[in-house]
Amino acid sequence: MKRIALSGAGGQLGSVVRAALIARGTPLRSAAGSKALTPLVDGEDVMHGDLREPAVVDRLLEGMDVLIHFAGTSVERPLPEIIENNLRGLVEVYEGARRQGVKRIVFASSNHAIGMYPVTERLSLDCELRPDGFYGLSKVWGEALARMYWDKHGIESVCVRIGSCLERPTEPRHLSTWLGHRDLMHFLDRCVEAENVGFLTIWGVSANTRSWWDNSGAERLGYLPTQDSEVYAAEILARPNPLDALGQRFQGGSFVGIDYSREDGGPDGSAATAARPV
Ligand code: 15L
């Protein structure tokens, strides 16, 4: 059985994954940031620390086969925080993988790397990246960094542009972006088990009828999602949409309106719908 390291284990996604892997008896070492994790079972391999410190990264990766890297800032934040956690921290993690001989990393990229596309567009995996803020920009950088470590050092990466990973979708945007927890776990199983992944980018999304994203080209991972947000559509669409006009126009949803200053109709030129509600 492959030995898995999980960073960001105290976070929203990390805690779901940690509990599921522990319940199955997967050999797992889980790391949180500043706050210690309470073991879920006797003798659970847990640790915490700052991943910008090489010694902490070494402790996490020693003897491991695969790293699921969920640590880092996961929302839009001021640039200095993003740089420390998502740029510097990521370099330390990949350098640690080199030192410790970890051959594969699952990098949690995000749909916010492409958040400035209008919701009317359907995207393939090789689409131009259009980040919707500094957080999305850090994911663009992370994907490129992962590529470099494959090309120069042979460390495999699966960069997963995660949509909205939730137990169930709760708003209209999620009908396109939802990644269900069952599909998340299946996806991670494939990331651990698939042979010869090399460098791969993939949309982290369920089999949603209204998906914006096409995973053609990533077949070698063997990810076959089975959850579809459509079963929640009637219930969700009967409620008001929580997003403002701008958030409803772009794939990045609410992140798009953070520090947005265009008055001219926006990058897709649809002036008529550009105005933000006041
Ligand atoms: C993300 O990248 C965030 O980490 C998460 O909090 C959600 O906002 C998600 O994207 C989303 O777009 O729904």
Side-chain angles (χ1 to χ4, degrees), residues 122-126 158-163 178-179 183 187 200-208 211-225:
R122 299 293 169 268
L123 306 185
S124 55
L125 281 167
D126 60 358
V158 180
C159 297
V160 50
R161 293 182 193 145
I162 301 174
W178 187 50
L179 172 61
D183 282 341
F187 169 79
L200 187 67
T201 304
I202 189 164
W203 303 108
V205 68
S206 280
N208 303 326
S211 177
W212 296 319
W213 309 319
D214 177 1
N215 262 331
S216 303
E219 290 80 6
R220 68 181 185 273
L221 193 68
Y223 170 57
L224 298 171

PDB file of all heavy atoms in Angstrom, residues 122-126 158-163 178-179 183 187 200-208 211-225:
ATOM      1  N   ARG A 122     -17.353  27.197 -22.412  1.00  0.00           N
ATOM      2  CA  ARG A 122     -16.989  25.843 -22.003  1.00  0.00           C
ATOM      3  C   ARG A 122     -15.481  25.707 -22.170  1.00  0.00           C
ATOM      4  O   ARG A 122     -14.953  26.073 -23.226  1.00  0.00           O
ATOM      5  CB  ARG A 122     -17.717  24.799 -22.854  1.00  0.00           C
ATOM      6  CG  ARG A 122     -19.236  24.886 -22.732  1.00  0.00           C
ATOM      7  CD  ARG A 122     -19.682  24.489 -21.313  1.00  0.00           C
ATOM      8  NE  ARG A 122     -21.082  24.806 -21.058  1.00  0.00           N
ATOM      9  CZ  ARG A 122     -21.520  25.954 -20.522  1.00  0.00           C
ATOM     10  NH1 ARG A 122     -20.677  26.916 -20.191  1.00  0.00           N
ATOM     11  NH2 ARG A 122     -22.800  26.149 -20.295  1.00  0.00           N
ATOM     12  N   LEU A 123     -14.811  25.183 -21.153  1.00  0.00           N
ATOM     13  CA  LEU A 123     -13.349  25.200 -21.166  1.00  0.00           C
ATOM     14  C   LEU A 123     -12.756  23.808 -21.291  1.00  0.00           C
ATOM     15  O   LEU A 123     -13.215  22.867 -20.643  1.00  0.00           O
ATOM     16  CB  LEU A 123     -12.823  25.840 -19.875  1.00  0.00           C
ATOM     17  CG  LEU A 123     -13.351  27.225 -19.505  1.00  0.00           C
ATOM     18  CD1 LEU A 123     -12.637  27.740 -18.262  1.00  0.00           C
ATOM     19  CD2 LEU A 123     -13.194  28.210 -20.657  1.00  0.00           C
ATOM     20  N   SER A 124     -11.695  23.728 -22.086  1.00  0.00           N
ATOM     21  CA  SER A 124     -10.917  22.493 -22.138  1.00  0.00           C
ATOM     22  C   SER A 124      -9.716  22.653 -21.208  1.00  0.00           C
ATOM     23  O   SER A 124      -9.443  23.748 -20.709  1.00  0.00           O
ATOM     24  CB  SER A 124     -10.467  22.216 -23.573  1.00  0.00           C
ATOM     25  OG  SER A 124      -9.761  23.338 -24.048  1.00  0.00           O
ATOM     26  N   LEU A 125      -8.994  21.561 -21.012  1.00  0.00           N
ATOM     27  CA  LEU A 125      -7.883  21.618 -20.051  1.00  0.00           C
ATOM     28  C   LEU A 125      -6.745  22.522 -20.508  1.00  0.00           C
ATOM     29  O   LEU A 125      -5.992  23.030 -19.681  1.00  0.00           O
ATOM     30  CB  LEU A 125      -7.351  20.201 -19.807  1.00  0.00           C
ATOM     31  CG  LEU A 125      -8.200  19.384 -18.843  1.00  0.00           C
ATOM     32  CD1 LEU A 125      -7.823  17.923 -18.893  1.00  0.00           C
ATOM     33  CD2 LEU A 125      -8.072  19.935 -17.424  1.00  0.00           C
ATOM     34  N   ASP A 126      -6.628  22.730 -21.814  1.00  0.00           N
ATOM     35  CA  ASP A 126      -5.518  23.557 -22.293  1.00  0.00           C
ATOM     36  C   ASP A 126      -5.952  25.005 -22.542  1.00  0.00           C
ATOM     37  O   ASP A 126      -5.272  25.746 -23.254  1.00  0.00           O
ATOM     38  CB  ASP A 126      -4.892  22.954 -23.551  1.00  0.00           C
ATOM     39  CG  ASP A 126      -5.901  22.843 -24.694  1.00  0.00           C
ATOM     40  OD1 ASP A 126      -7.082  23.208 -24.487  1.00  0.00           O
ATOM     41  OD2 ASP A 126      -5.508  22.395 -25.787  1.00  0.00           O
ATOM     42  N   VAL A 158      -0.211  15.894 -10.184  1.00  0.00           N
ATOM     43  CA  VAL A 158      -1.566  16.045 -10.703  1.00  0.00           C
ATOM     44  C   VAL A 158      -2.064  17.374 -10.154  1.00  0.00           C
ATOM     45  O   VAL A 158      -2.208  17.535  -8.939  1.00  0.00           O
ATOM     46  CB  VAL A 158      -2.499  14.903 -10.242  1.00  0.00           C
ATOM     47  CG1 VAL A 158      -3.900  15.116 -10.819  1.00  0.00           C
ATOM     48  CG2 VAL A 158      -1.940  13.547 -10.646  1.00  0.00           C
ATOM     49  N   CYS A 159      -2.247  18.346 -11.052  1.00  0.00           N
ATOM     50  CA  CYS A 159      -2.757  19.656 -10.640  1.00  0.00           C
ATOM     51  C   CYS A 159      -4.266  19.623 -10.812  1.00  0.00           C
ATOM     52  O   CYS A 159      -4.750  19.510 -11.949  1.00  0.00           O
ATOM     53  CB  CYS A 159      -2.185  20.767 -11.524  1.00  0.00           C
ATOM     54  SG  CYS A 159      -0.404  20.918 -11.399  1.00  0.00           S
ATOM     55  N   VAL A 160      -4.966  19.709  -9.735  1.00  0.00           N
ATOM     56  CA  VAL A 160      -6.421  19.587  -9.827  1.00  0.00           C
ATOM     57  C   VAL A 160      -7.081  20.948  -9.608  1.00  0.00           C
ATOM     58  O   VAL A 160      -6.960  21.537  -8.530  1.00  0.00           O
ATOM     59  CB  VAL A 160      -6.970  18.499  -8.869  1.00  0.00           C
ATOM     60  CG1 VAL A 160      -6.452  18.666  -7.457  1.00  0.00           C
ATOM     61  CG2 VAL A 160      -8.493  18.457  -8.897  1.00  0.00           C
ATOM     62  N   ARG A 161      -7.716  21.432 -10.659  1.00  0.00           N
ATOM     63  CA  ARG A 161      -8.443  22.711 -10.568  1.00  0.00           C
ATOM     64  C   ARG A 161      -9.790  22.435  -9.927  1.00  0.00           C
ATOM     65  O   ARG A 161     -10.786  22.140 -10.594  1.00  0.00           O
ATOM     66  CB  ARG A 161      -8.626  23.334 -11.950  1.00  0.00           C
ATOM     67  CG  ARG A 161      -7.317  23.762 -12.562  1.00  0.00           C
ATOM     68  CD  ARG A 161      -7.514  24.427 -13.919  1.00  0.00           C
ATOM     69  NE  ARG A 161      -6.224  24.537 -14.571  1.00  0.00           N
ATOM     70  CZ  ARG A 161      -6.029  24.430 -15.875  1.00  0.00           C
ATOM     71  NH1 ARG A 161      -7.063  24.240 -16.692  1.00  0.00           N
ATOM     72  NH2 ARG A 161      -4.823  24.538 -16.378  1.00  0.00           N
ATOM     73  N   ILE A 162      -9.787  22.508  -8.622  1.00  0.00           N
ATOM     74  CA  ILE A 162     -10.977  22.124  -7.859  1.00  0.00           C
ATOM     75  C   ILE A 162     -12.075  23.172  -8.059  1.00  0.00           C
ATOM     76  O   ILE A 162     -11.816  24.374  -8.035  1.00  0.00           O
ATOM     77  CB  ILE A 162     -10.625  21.986  -6.357  1.00  0.00           C
ATOM     78  CG1 ILE A 162      -9.533  20.926  -6.174  1.00  0.00           C
ATOM     79  CG2 ILE A 162     -11.870  21.635  -5.540  1.00  0.00           C
ATOM     80  CD1 ILE A 162      -9.001  20.802  -4.757  1.00  0.00           C
ATOM     81  N   GLY A 163     -13.278  22.690  -8.273  1.00  0.00           N
ATOM     82  CA  GLY A 163     -14.439  23.578  -8.375  1.00  0.00           C
ATOM     83  C   GLY A 163     -14.910  23.957  -6.986  1.00  0.00           C
ATOM     84  O   GLY A 163     -14.215  24.662  -6.254  1.00  0.00           O
ATOM     85  N   TRP A 178     -19.653  21.961  -8.806  1.00  0.00           N
ATOM     86  CA  TRP A 178     -19.627  21.040  -7.661  1.00  0.00           C
ATOM     87  C   TRP A 178     -18.688  19.853  -7.862  1.00  0.00           C
ATOM     88  O   TRP A 178     -18.687  19.213  -8.914  1.00  0.00           O
ATOM     89  CB  TRP A 178     -21.039  20.511  -7.404  1.00  0.00           C
ATOM     90  CG  TRP A 178     -21.181  19.681  -6.161  1.00  0.00           C
ATOM     91  CD1 TRP A 178     -20.761  19.997  -4.909  1.00  0.00           C
ATOM     92  CD2 TRP A 178     -21.805  18.391  -6.053  1.00  0.00           C
ATOM     93  NE1 TRP A 178     -21.106  18.996  -4.020  1.00  0.00           N
ATOM     94  CE2 TRP A 178     -21.741  17.999  -4.700  1.00  0.00           C
ATOM     95  CE3 TRP A 178     -22.427  17.541  -6.976  1.00  0.00           C
ATOM     96  CZ2 TRP A 178     -22.265  16.795  -4.238  1.00  0.00           C
ATOM     97  CZ3 TRP A 178     -22.952  16.332  -6.519  1.00  0.00           C
ATOM     98  CH2 TRP A 178     -22.871  15.962  -5.166  1.00  0.00           C
ATOM     99  N   LEU A 179     -17.925  19.555  -6.811  1.00  0.00           N
ATOM    100  CA  LEU A 179     -17.177  18.301  -6.700  1.00  0.00           C
ATOM    101  C   LEU A 179     -17.680  17.612  -5.436  1.00  0.00           C
ATOM    102  O   LEU A 179     -17.431  18.083  -4.316  1.00  0.00           O
ATOM    103  CB  LEU A 179     -15.662  18.568  -6.599  1.00  0.00           C
ATOM    104  CG  LEU A 179     -14.779  17.348  -6.291  1.00  0.00           C
ATOM    105  CD1 LEU A 179     -14.886  16.270  -7.373  1.00  0.00           C
ATOM    106  CD2 LEU A 179     -13.308  17.765  -6.111  1.00  0.00           C
ATOM    107  N   ASP A 183     -16.845  11.657  -5.188  1.00  0.00           N
ATOM    108  CA  ASP A 183     -15.972  11.822  -6.351  1.00  0.00           C
ATOM    109  C   ASP A 183     -14.578  12.297  -5.943  1.00  0.00           C
ATOM    110  O   ASP A 183     -13.579  11.898  -6.547  1.00  0.00           O
ATOM    111  CB  ASP A 183     -16.588  12.818  -7.347  1.00  0.00           C
ATOM    112  CG  ASP A 183     -17.707  12.192  -8.172  1.00  0.00           C
ATOM    113  OD1 ASP A 183     -17.770  10.943  -8.246  1.00  0.00           O
ATOM    114  OD2 ASP A 183     -18.528  12.949  -8.724  1.00  0.00           O
ATOM    115  N   PHE A 187     -11.300  10.394  -6.934  1.00  0.00           N
ATOM    116  CA  PHE A 187     -10.253  11.134  -7.642  1.00  0.00           C
ATOM    117  C   PHE A 187      -8.885  10.918  -6.958  1.00  0.00           C
ATOM    118  O   PHE A 187      -7.883  10.631  -7.620  1.00  0.00           O
ATOM    119  CB  PHE A 187     -10.608  12.626  -7.671  1.00  0.00           C
ATOM    120  CG  PHE A 187      -9.486  13.489  -8.132  1.00  0.00           C
ATOM    121  CD1 PHE A 187      -9.199  13.598  -9.475  1.00  0.00           C
ATOM    122  CD2 PHE A 187      -8.685  14.153  -7.216  1.00  0.00           C
ATOM    123  CE1 PHE A 187      -8.126  14.361  -9.908  1.00  0.00           C
ATOM    124  CE2 PHE A 187      -7.618  14.915  -7.638  1.00  0.00           C
ATOM    125  CZ  PHE A 187      -7.337  15.021  -8.992  1.00  0.00           C
ATOM    126  N   LEU A 200       0.111  16.269 -15.075  1.00  0.00           N
ATOM    127  CA  LEU A 200      -1.280  16.225 -15.542  1.00  0.00           C
ATOM    128  C   LEU A 200      -2.076  17.331 -14.856  1.00  0.00           C
ATOM    129  O   LEU A 200      -1.948  17.549 -13.643  1.00  0.00           O
ATOM    130  CB  LEU A 200      -1.873  14.866 -15.175  1.00  0.00           C
ATOM    131  CG  LEU A 200      -3.259  14.532 -15.702  1.00  0.00           C
ATOM    132  CD1 LEU A 200      -3.240  14.387 -17.216  1.00  0.00           C
ATOM    133  CD2 LEU A 200      -3.748  13.219 -15.077  1.00  0.00           C
ATOM    134  N   THR A 201      -2.885  18.010 -15.647  1.00  0.00           N
ATOM    135  CA  THR A 201      -3.828  18.982 -15.081  1.00  0.00           C
ATOM    136  C   THR A 201      -5.222  18.442 -15.337  1.00  0.00           C
ATOM    137  O   THR A 201      -5.480  17.859 -16.394  1.00  0.00           O
ATOM    138  CB  THR A 201      -3.657  20.349 -15.772  1.00  0.00           C
ATOM    139  OG1 THR A 201      -2.299  20.739 -15.635  1.00  0.00           O
ATOM    140  CG2 THR A 201      -4.553  21.397 -15.124  1.00  0.00           C
ATOM    141  N   ILE A 202      -6.104  18.631 -14.382  1.00  0.00           N
ATOM    142  CA  ILE A 202      -7.447  18.058 -14.512  1.00  0.00           C
ATOM    143  C   ILE A 202      -8.442  18.944 -13.766  1.00  0.00           C
ATOM    144  O   ILE A 202      -8.063  19.626 -12.795  1.00  0.00           O
ATOM    145  CB  ILE A 202      -7.434  16.595 -13.975  1.00  0.00           C
ATOM    146  CG1 ILE A 202      -8.732  15.862 -14.273  1.00  0.00           C
ATOM    147  CG2 ILE A 202      -7.055  16.520 -12.518  1.00  0.00           C
ATOM    148  CD1 ILE A 202      -8.631  14.344 -14.123  1.00  0.00           C
ATOM    149  N   TRP A 203      -9.665  18.967 -14.248  1.00  0.00           N
ATOM    150  CA  TRP A 203     -10.718  19.694 -13.527  1.00  0.00           C
ATOM    151  C   TRP A 203     -11.211  18.824 -12.382  1.00  0.00           C
ATOM    152  O   TRP A 203     -11.581  17.667 -12.598  1.00  0.00           O
ATOM    153  CB  TRP A 203     -11.901  20.008 -14.456  1.00  0.00           C
ATOM    154  CG  TRP A 203     -11.541  20.802 -15.677  1.00  0.00           C
ATOM    155  CD1 TRP A 203     -11.488  20.345 -16.954  1.00  0.00           C
ATOM    156  CD2 TRP A 203     -11.200  22.197 -15.743  1.00  0.00           C
ATOM    157  NE1 TRP A 203     -11.122  21.358 -17.818  1.00  0.00           N
ATOM    158  CE2 TRP A 203     -10.940  22.509 -17.102  1.00  0.00           C
ATOM    159  CE3 TRP A 203     -11.075  23.210 -14.787  1.00  0.00           C
ATOM    160  CZ2 TRP A 203     -10.575  23.791 -17.519  1.00  0.00           C
ATOM    161  CZ3 TRP A 203     -10.708  24.483 -15.211  1.00  0.00           C
ATOM    162  CH2 TRP A 203     -10.460  24.755 -16.545  1.00  0.00           C
ATOM    163  N   GLY A 204     -11.250  19.369 -11.195  1.00  0.00           N
ATOM    164  CA  GLY A 204     -11.789  18.648 -10.039  1.00  0.00           C
ATOM    165  C   GLY A 204     -13.268  18.930  -9.931  1.00  0.00           C
ATOM    166  O   GLY A 204     -13.687  19.811  -9.170  1.00  0.00           O
ATOM    167  N   VAL A 205     -14.042  18.210 -10.709  1.00  0.00           N
ATOM    168  CA  VAL A 205     -15.464  18.491 -10.795  1.00  0.00           C
ATOM    169  C   VAL A 205     -16.215  17.164 -10.940  1.00  0.00           C
ATOM    170  O   VAL A 205     -15.669  16.200 -11.485  1.00  0.00           O
ATOM    171  CB  VAL A 205     -15.741  19.460 -11.975  1.00  0.00           C
ATOM    172  CG1 VAL A 205     -15.469  18.796 -13.319  1.00  0.00           C
ATOM    173  CG2 VAL A 205     -17.129  20.058 -11.922  1.00  0.00           C
ATOM    174  N   SER A 206     -17.416  17.125 -10.427  1.00  0.00           N
ATOM    175  CA  SER A 206     -18.238  15.927 -10.583  1.00  0.00           C
ATOM    176  C   SER A 206     -18.832  15.870 -11.991  1.00  0.00           C
ATOM    177  O   SER A 206     -18.586  16.755 -12.822  1.00  0.00           O
ATOM    178  CB  SER A 206     -19.336  15.925  -9.510  1.00  0.00           C
ATOM    179  OG  SER A 206     -18.786  15.479  -8.276  1.00  0.00           O
ATOM    180  N   ALA A 207     -19.629  14.840 -12.233  1.00  0.00           N
ATOM    181  CA  ALA A 207     -20.214  14.645 -13.575  1.00  0.00           C
ATOM    182  C   ALA A 207     -21.470  15.502 -13.710  1.00  0.00           C
ATOM    183  O   ALA A 207     -22.555  15.002 -14.034  1.00  0.00           O
ATOM    184  CB  ALA A 207     -20.527  13.169 -13.772  1.00  0.00           C
ATOM    185  N   ASN A 208     -21.315  16.805 -13.476  1.00  0.00           N
ATOM    186  CA  ASN A 208     -22.477  17.696 -13.460  1.00  0.00           C
ATOM    187  C   ASN A 208     -23.026  17.917 -14.865  1.00  0.00           C
ATOM    188  O   ASN A 208     -22.264  18.255 -15.784  1.00  0.00           O
ATOM    189  CB  ASN A 208     -22.097  19.061 -12.869  1.00  0.00           C
ATOM    190  CG  ASN A 208     -21.522  18.942 -11.469  1.00  0.00           C
ATOM    191  OD1 ASN A 208     -21.937  18.080 -10.708  1.00  0.00           O
ATOM    192  ND2 ASN A 208     -20.567  19.800 -11.127  1.00  0.00           N
ATOM    193  N   SER A 211     -21.869  21.244 -16.152  1.00  0.00           N
ATOM    194  CA  SER A 211     -20.444  21.573 -15.983  1.00  0.00           C
ATOM    195  C   SER A 211     -19.930  22.499 -17.085  1.00  0.00           C
ATOM    196  O   SER A 211     -20.362  22.417 -18.228  1.00  0.00           O
ATOM    197  CB  SER A 211     -19.611  20.290 -15.979  1.00  0.00           C
ATOM    198  OG  SER A 211     -18.252  20.624 -15.880  1.00  0.00           O
ATOM    199  N   TRP A 212     -18.992  23.373 -16.715  1.00  0.00           N
ATOM    200  CA  TRP A 212     -18.358  24.260 -17.695  1.00  0.00           C
ATOM    201  C   TRP A 212     -17.066  23.650 -18.243  1.00  0.00           C
ATOM    202  O   TRP A 212     -16.429  24.238 -19.123  1.00  0.00           O
ATOM    203  CB  TRP A 212     -18.017  25.602 -17.025  1.00  0.00           C
ATOM    204  CG  TRP A 212     -19.197  26.391 -16.556  1.00  0.00           C
ATOM    205  CD1 TRP A 212     -20.387  26.560 -17.202  1.00  0.00           C
ATOM    206  CD2 TRP A 212     -19.290  27.157 -15.330  1.00  0.00           C
ATOM    207  NE1 TRP A 212     -21.204  27.373 -16.456  1.00  0.00           N
ATOM    208  CE2 TRP A 212     -20.559  27.761 -15.310  1.00  0.00           C
ATOM    209  CE3 TRP A 212     -18.415  27.384 -14.267  1.00  0.00           C
ATOM    210  CZ2 TRP A 212     -20.994  28.573 -14.263  1.00  0.00           C
ATOM    211  CZ3 TRP A 212     -18.841  28.199 -13.219  1.00  0.00           C
ATOM    212  CH2 TRP A 212     -20.119  28.791 -13.222  1.00  0.00           C
ATOM    213  N   TRP A 213     -16.618  22.530 -17.647  1.00  0.00           N
ATOM    214  CA  TRP A 213     -15.245  22.068 -17.865  1.00  0.00           C
ATOM    215  C   TRP A 213     -15.190  20.653 -18.411  1.00  0.00           C
ATOM    216  O   TRP A 213     -15.861  19.748 -17.919  1.00  0.00           O
ATOM    217  CB  TRP A 213     -14.485  22.153 -16.533  1.00  0.00           C
ATOM    218  CG  TRP A 213     -14.616  23.499 -15.885  1.00  0.00           C
ATOM    219  CD1 TRP A 213     -14.569  24.718 -16.515  1.00  0.00           C
ATOM    220  CD2 TRP A 213     -14.855  23.779 -14.493  1.00  0.00           C
ATOM    221  NE1 TRP A 213     -14.741  25.725 -15.588  1.00  0.00           N
ATOM    222  CE2 TRP A 213     -14.915  25.193 -14.349  1.00  0.00           C
ATOM    223  CE3 TRP A 213     -14.989  22.989 -13.361  1.00  0.00           C
ATOM    224  CZ2 TRP A 213     -15.129  25.820 -13.129  1.00  0.00           C
ATOM    225  CZ3 TRP A 213     -15.205  23.601 -12.144  1.00  0.00           C
ATOM    226  CH2 TRP A 213     -15.265  25.006 -12.027  1.00  0.00           C
ATOM    227  N   ASP A 214     -14.342  20.485 -19.408  1.00  0.00           N
ATOM    228  CA  ASP A 214     -14.225  19.220 -20.127  1.00  0.00           C
ATOM    229  C   ASP A 214     -12.876  18.569 -19.784  1.00  0.00           C
ATOM    230  O   ASP A 214     -11.824  19.145 -20.052  1.00  0.00           O
ATOM    231  CB  ASP A 214     -14.327  19.535 -21.635  1.00  0.00           C
ATOM    232  CG  ASP A 214     -14.150  18.300 -22.493  1.00  0.00           C
ATOM    233  OD1 ASP A 214     -13.965  17.195 -21.932  1.00  0.00           O
ATOM    234  OD2 ASP A 214     -14.178  18.457 -23.724  1.00  0.00           O
ATOM    235  N   ASN A 215     -12.921  17.372 -19.245  1.00  0.00           N
ATOM    236  CA  ASN A 215     -11.697  16.689 -18.810  1.00  0.00           C
ATOM    237  C   ASN A 215     -11.045  15.836 -19.899  1.00  0.00           C
ATOM    238  O   ASN A 215     -10.152  15.046 -19.584  1.00  0.00           O
ATOM    239  CB  ASN A 215     -11.993  15.823 -17.572  1.00  0.00           C
ATOM    240  CG  ASN A 215     -11.594  16.540 -16.286  1.00  0.00           C
ATOM    241  OD1 ASN A 215     -10.659  17.363 -16.284  1.00  0.00           O
ATOM    242  ND2 ASN A 215     -12.279  16.235 -15.198  1.00  0.00           N
ATOM    243  N   SER A 216     -11.466  16.014 -21.159  1.00  0.00           N
ATOM    244  CA  SER A 216     -10.810  15.258 -22.235  1.00  0.00           C
ATOM    245  C   SER A 216      -9.320  15.570 -22.228  1.00  0.00           C
ATOM    246  O   SER A 216      -8.937  16.740 -22.150  1.00  0.00           O
ATOM    247  CB  SER A 216     -11.358  15.663 -23.607  1.00  0.00           C
ATOM    248  OG  SER A 216     -12.735  15.472 -23.641  1.00  0.00           O
ATOM    249  N   GLY A 217      -8.514  14.526 -22.323  1.00  0.00           N
ATOM    250  CA  GLY A 217      -7.059  14.711 -22.305  1.00  0.00           C
ATOM    251  C   GLY A 217      -6.468  14.223 -20.997  1.00  0.00           C
ATOM    252  O   GLY A 217      -5.259  14.063 -20.883  1.00  0.00           O
ATOM    253  N   ALA A 218      -7.320  13.981 -20.003  1.00  0.00           N
ATOM    254  CA  ALA A 218      -6.805  13.526 -18.704  1.00  0.00           C
ATOM    255  C   ALA A 218      -7.242  12.089 -18.430  1.00  0.00           C
ATOM    256  O   ALA A 218      -7.266  11.648 -17.285  1.00  0.00           O
ATOM    257  CB  ALA A 218      -7.296  14.458 -17.598  1.00  0.00           C
ATOM    258  N   GLU A 219      -7.555  11.347 -19.502  1.00  0.00           N
ATOM    259  CA  GLU A 219      -8.094   9.985 -19.336  1.00  0.00           C
ATOM    260  C   GLU A 219      -7.112   9.068 -18.612  1.00  0.00           C
ATOM    261  O   GLU A 219      -7.523   8.124 -17.940  1.00  0.00           O
ATOM    262  CB  GLU A 219      -8.446   9.368 -20.695  1.00  0.00           C
ATOM    263  CG  GLU A 219      -9.645   9.982 -21.397  1.00  0.00           C
ATOM    264  CD  GLU A 219      -9.334  11.290 -22.112  1.00  0.00           C
ATOM    265  OE1 GLU A 219      -8.141  11.691 -22.172  1.00  0.00           O
ATOM    266  OE2 GLU A 219     -10.283  11.912 -22.622  1.00  0.00           O
ATOM    267  N   ARG A 220      -5.806   9.328 -18.756  1.00  0.00           N
ATOM    268  CA  ARG A 220      -4.855   8.380 -18.177  1.00  0.00           C
ATOM    269  C   ARG A 220      -4.934   8.304 -16.662  1.00  0.00           C
ATOM    270  O   ARG A 220      -4.431   7.364 -16.055  1.00  0.00           O
ATOM    271  CB  ARG A 220      -3.424   8.673 -18.643  1.00  0.00           C
ATOM    272  CG  ARG A 220      -2.791   9.950 -18.142  1.00  0.00           C
ATOM    273  CD  ARG A 220      -1.377  10.051 -18.763  1.00  0.00           C
ATOM    274  NE  ARG A 220      -0.599  11.177 -18.277  1.00  0.00           N
ATOM    275  CZ  ARG A 220      -0.648  12.386 -18.798  1.00  0.00           C
ATOM    276  NH1 ARG A 220      -1.481  12.646 -19.788  1.00  0.00           N
ATOM    277  NH2 ARG A 220       0.141  13.343 -18.323  1.00  0.00           N
ATOM    278  N   LEU A 221      -5.587   9.269 -16.048  1.00  0.00           N
ATOM    279  CA  LEU A 221      -5.765   9.186 -14.592  1.00  0.00           C
ATOM    280  C   LEU A 221      -6.855   8.176 -14.236  1.00  0.00           C
ATOM    281  O   LEU A 221      -6.856   7.627 -13.134  1.00  0.00           O
ATOM    282  CB  LEU A 221      -6.128  10.569 -14.018  1.00  0.00           C
ATOM    283  CG  LEU A 221      -6.037  10.667 -12.499  1.00  0.00           C
ATOM    284  CD1 LEU A 221      -4.578  10.572 -12.045  1.00  0.00           C
ATOM    285  CD2 LEU A 221      -6.664  11.949 -11.976  1.00  0.00           C
ATOM    286  N   GLY A 222      -7.791   7.951 -15.140  1.00  0.00           N
ATOM    287  CA  GLY A 222      -8.889   7.014 -14.852  1.00  0.00           C
ATOM    288  C   GLY A 222      -9.906   7.586 -13.879  1.00  0.00           C
ATOM    289  O   GLY A 222     -10.554   6.846 -13.139  1.00  0.00           O
ATOM    290  N   TYR A 223     -10.062   8.905 -13.882  1.00  0.00           N
ATOM    291  CA  TYR A 223     -11.063   9.549 -13.003  1.00  0.00           C
ATOM    292  C   TYR A 223     -12.424   9.505 -13.695  1.00  0.00           C
ATOM    293  O   TYR A 223     -12.601  10.109 -14.758  1.00  0.00           O
ATOM    294  CB  TYR A 223     -10.631  10.992 -12.717  1.00  0.00           C
ATOM    295  CG  TYR A 223     -11.684  11.833 -12.015  1.00  0.00           C
ATOM    296  CD1 TYR A 223     -12.223  11.441 -10.799  1.00  0.00           C
ATOM    297  CD2 TYR A 223     -12.125  13.036 -12.571  1.00  0.00           C
ATOM    298  CE1 TYR A 223     -13.187  12.220 -10.146  1.00  0.00           C
ATOM    299  CE2 TYR A 223     -13.077  13.828 -11.933  1.00  0.00           C
ATOM    300  CZ  TYR A 223     -13.600  13.407 -10.718  1.00  0.00           C
ATOM    301  OH  TYR A 223     -14.550  14.178 -10.084  1.00  0.00           O
ATOM    302  N   LEU A 224     -13.357   8.804 -13.094  1.00  0.00           N
ATOM    303  CA  LEU A 224     -14.693   8.654 -13.679  1.00  0.00           C
ATOM    304  C   LEU A 224     -15.729   9.066 -12.640  1.00  0.00           C
ATOM    305  O   LEU A 224     -16.233   8.224 -11.886  1.00  0.00           O
ATOM    306  CB  LEU A 224     -14.910   7.196 -14.114  1.00  0.00           C
ATOM    307  CG  LEU A 224     -13.946   6.680 -15.199  1.00  0.00           C
ATOM    308  CD1 LEU A 224     -14.090   5.179 -15.395  1.00  0.00           C
ATOM    309  CD2 LEU A 224     -14.169   7.426 -16.515  1.00  0.00           C
ATOM    310  N   PRO A 225     -16.034  10.372 -12.569  1.00  0.00           N
ATOM    311  CA  PRO A 225     -16.969  10.841 -11.536  1.00  0.00           C
ATOM    312  C   PRO A 225     -18.376  10.305 -11.774  1.00  0.00           C
ATOM    313  O   PRO A 225     -18.772  10.057 -12.920  1.00  0.00           O
ATOM    314  CB  PRO A 225     -16.925  12.359 -11.708  1.00  0.00           C
ATOM    315  CG  PRO A 225     -16.468  12.595 -13.100  1.00  0.00           C
ATOM    316  CD  PRO A 225     -15.564  11.444 -13.454  1.00  0.00           C
TER     317      PRO A 225
END
